[in-house]
Amino acid sequence: MFNDLSSPAALLATRRSGKPRDMAAPGPSPDQMTRILDAAIRVPDHGKFAPWRLVIFEGEGRNRAGEALAAIQKYRRPDLDEASLNIERRQFLPAPLTIGVIFSPRPNTKAPELEQLLSAGNVCFNLSHAAFALGFAASWTNRWYGWDPEAQTALGARGGERFVGFIHIGTPTAVIEDRERPALEDVVTRF
Ligand SMILES: Cc1cc2nc3c(=O)[nH]c(=O)nc-3n(C[C@H](O)[C@H](O)[C@H](O)COP(=O)(O)O)c2cc1C
């Protein structure tokens, strides 16, 4: 198993992302889902007004999301072949669960927008950690639909909002190799 769950410190030291294509059912049970969501929203939040919300893509919702993305591409490029459209239809299929994190900034508050955005990013990473802690693989992706305004609306963002991450979660089907990490001396200095 790639998840070292022997202690919280071991978990933090070994967490790594799995690829959605190396994920399969089962996803989290309803109880595990609640634990993951509870952990995810336990983030620093300067204004304490939760400038983020979460959208769950599971079951048939994964197909509907993929169809919406394929429809956008088909509208823009009517000549697009079936194989390319199928890639869009399958965007949410490899993982049994994807949780989208929407950044929903509140203007004119004591916390500047950048701080609110950082809070939303923490929700994304907390989702990854919580899933990992329960033995699942997780992957934070944005892909084209994480930046495309029309796709964002189709997936659930409202005016002034945007997705900042899609966290794919599933049972790992392969050992997840770690990637190279920066050397501490390259990224840490003393003041
Ligand atoms: C905001 C953000 C967006 C990302 N979007 C993508 C993406 O669209 N596609 C991708 O393959 N990886 C994407 N990644 C990187 C994956 O999360 C990658 O698997 C990760 O950096 C692996 O490192 P880890 O093992 O430390 O998690 C993104 C990462 C971040 C922070």
Side-chain angles (χ1 to χ4, degrees), residues 79-90:
D79 58 322
L80 212 57
D81 59 28
E82 263 318 284
S84 304
L85 291 174
N86 280 337
I87 289 174
E88 305 306 341
R89 291 188 180 109
R90 295 189 49 76

Side-chain angles (χ1 to χ4, degrees), residues 15-18 125 139-144 164 178-179 181:
R15 184 217 58 84
R16 52 194 183 267
S17 298
F125 199 35
S139 171
W140 177 352
T141 71
N142 272 15
R143 297 190 180 150
W144 71 269
V164 288
D178 202 1
R179 67 181 171 91
R181 306 286 164 177

